[in-house]
Amino acid sequence: MGNSLPHANVLQDPHGRILDYLRLSVTDRCDLRCSYCIPKGFKGFEEPEHWLTFDEVERLVAAFARQGLKRVRLTGGEPLLRRDVTKLASRLHQLPGITDLSLSTNATQLVRFAEPLAAAGVRRINVSLDSLDKGCFEHVVGRNVFDQVMDGLFAAKAAGISPIKINMVVMRGVNDHEVMQMAEFCLEHGFILRFIEAMPMGETGQKASYVPLQEIQSNLISTFSLQPTVAELGGGPARYWETADGKGQIGFITPMSQHFCATCNRVRMSVDGTLYLCLGQEHKFEFRPLLRGGATDDDLDAAIHEAIAIKPAKHDFLEAPKKILRFMSQTGG
């Protein structure tokens, strides 16, 4: 990983939160159509000429790193659809100040990419897996690729990528009956499981059947004798519990029922260079015009602080569930 910067600045927003985590979208395209994300038949993807080039991405991430950024997660859409994404990963891995490089994926491409990703410096991955039932899985993602995803998941494990986290969006009447089965599967194979509450992002997310995770948490804690843990498992918003032997972890991400806005440490960059300061708000800052308009490094540094200054205190998912019209893939994971 890139060299540390002992005298690095600190990115602090107006609410006193330290921001050290960038979720970086390298494409808004995806080869699946998950029911809570991209609508079937959607055609409104960003034009390729608007995508940040790898040189622009590297320059921008380096600027964030100068200001205190430590963690970068490659997201999408499906990031493995971006040509030569492992080359970008390698470049970001070597940047001074970046100490944690990870990737979120649906795993359809992982058989081919697991070893190159590990070689490029990606140490951790999150895999979206909402069902272990082939029929239910196809219903959620829109394609019959369950076996492909499972092969990719175990290819990543064989490549030495660790930890591997499984993300399950729990939806009432869709997959909520599989909670125990998914927990058993992940604990058996050494994957960290995170249950996620569906968020009202765009038309698809607003139609998802949100389940407050408190409904399933107590049963999981009792069944698997889980204990709360404060272990640092990647800098994200999950609240983790672990088995008595400390070998298995289950996390709960609750943006709806118990929001974690007070401890938010992240911002999101879309493929076109738009920095979104919050998933549940419209606050944003456009970096592409600066990158293509001759901005100096000092200009970028100043722009980053200008952007962070507009980060809102919290989202309004409960108060205004119809507010966010953009899809999750347009924001970036």
Side-chain angles (χ1 to χ4, degrees):
M1 191 57 63
N3 298 322
S4 63
L5 293 176
H7 303 294
N9 294 322
V10 171
L11 272 180
Q12 187 171 25
D13 75 5
H15 313 285
R17 298 170 296 196
I18 304 300
L19 306 177
D20 65 356
Y21 184 7
L22 175 66
R23 298 177 68 95
L24 175 68
S25 176
V26 295
T27 181
D28 58 347
R29 286 155 169 75
C30 188
D31 52 348
L32 302 182
R33 290 293 179 270
C34 293
S35 58
Y36 50 81
C37 191
I38 304 177
K40 293 180 180 179
F42 178 72
K43 303 293 184 183
F45 296 107
E46 191 60 64
E47 295 297 328
E49 59 264 30
H50 294 162
W51 298 356
L52 294 189
T53 67
F54 286 178
D55 287 344
E56 290 169 337
V57 169
E58 182 179 4
R59 187 178 179 217
L60 191 52
V61 173
F64 270 91
R66 289 195 299 271
Q67 305 307 312
L69 185 79
K70 298 177 181 178
R71 308 172 186 272
V72 176
R73 173 173 293 278
L74 300 176
T75 71
E78 172 47 52
L80 298 183
L81 297 182
R82 180 76 183 259
R83 182 176 298 175
D84 293 328
V85 67
T86 55
K87 293 182 180 178
L88 175 64
S90 181
R91 292 168 67 168
L92 298 181
H93 168 74
Q94 298 176 57
L95 286 177
I98 302 302
T99 60
D100 180 38
L101 180 64
S102 56
L103 178 137
S104 292
T105 178
N106 61 29
T108 61
Q109 312 293 316
L110 261 184
V111 167
R112 181 159 59 101
F113 279 100
E115 291 187 1
L117 284 170
V122 174
R123 296 291 174 258
R124 303 185 298 109
I125 63 168
N126 291 0
V127 174
S128 177
L129 182 65
D130 295 318
S131 176
L132 293 172
D133 176 86
K134 288 186 178 183
C136 180
F137 183 83
E138 182 175 358
H139 170 73
V140 172
V141 308
R143 288 182 60 202
N144 179 17
V145 290
F146 179 81
D147 290 339
Q148 192 174 324
V149 167
M150 295 302 289
D151 288 346
L153 182 59
F154 286 101
K157 184 177 181 180
I161 295 176
S162 177
I164 295 172
K165 297 178 182 178
I166 303 297
N167 289 343
M168 180 182 184
V169 177
V170 183
M171 294 166 283
R172 196 178 307 282
V174 177
N175 63 353
D176 52 338
H177 63 287
E178 291 190 65
V179 164
M180 288 298 168
Q181 182 186 2
M182 185 68 77
E184 291 169 353
F185 170 78
C186 290
L187 291 173
E188 176 186 354
H189 294 287
F191 303 132
I192 297 175
L193 173 60
R194 289 115 58 82
F195 294 108
I196 303 175
E197 292 175 345
M199 291 172 280
M201 296 282 296
E203 177 186 356
T204 46
Q206 290 164 11
K207 291 180 178 178
S209 304
Y210 148 65
V211 175
L213 291 184
Q214 289 77 13
E215 293 185 11
I216 66 172
Q217 184 170 327
S218 59
N219 195 14
L220 286 160
I221 291 170
S222 174
T223 300
F224 298 104
S225 301
L226 301 177
Q227 304 168 354
T229 177
V230 294
E232 207 290 310
L233 294 172
R239 297 178 174 96
Y240 286 101
W241 295 67
E242 65 181 8
T243 54
D245 60 8
K247 294 181 179 179
Q249 293 83 28
I250 295 178
F252 301 88
I253 300 179
T254 56
M256 303 297 290
S257 64
Q258 293 179 313
H259 73 72
F260 34 81
C261 301
T263 57
C264 183
N265 65 341
R266 69 206 70 89
V267 289
R268 289 170 168 83
M269 184 75 68
S270 68
V271 67
D272 69 346
T274 302
L275 188 74
Y276 288 98
L277 284 304
C278 175
L279 269 181
Q281 300 287 1
E282 296 290 359
H283 300 67
K284 62 184 179 181
F285 191 96
E286 306 282 352
F287 278 95
R288 189 179 78 234
L290 290 173
L291 291 164
R292 297 185 180 177
T296 66
D297 285 353
D298 287 344
D299 292 335
L300 287 180
D301 292 348
I304 288 170
H305 285 277
E306 182 181 345
I308 298 305
I310 63 172
K311 185 172 174 63
K314 67 181 190 69
H315 63 66
D316 295 325
F317 283 144
L318 289 177
E319 299 88 341
K322 305 292 186 181
K323 180 176 182 177
I324 302 302
L325 300 179
R326 66 182 187 273
F327 306 117
M328 180 70 82
S329 65
Q330 294 171 308
T331 305

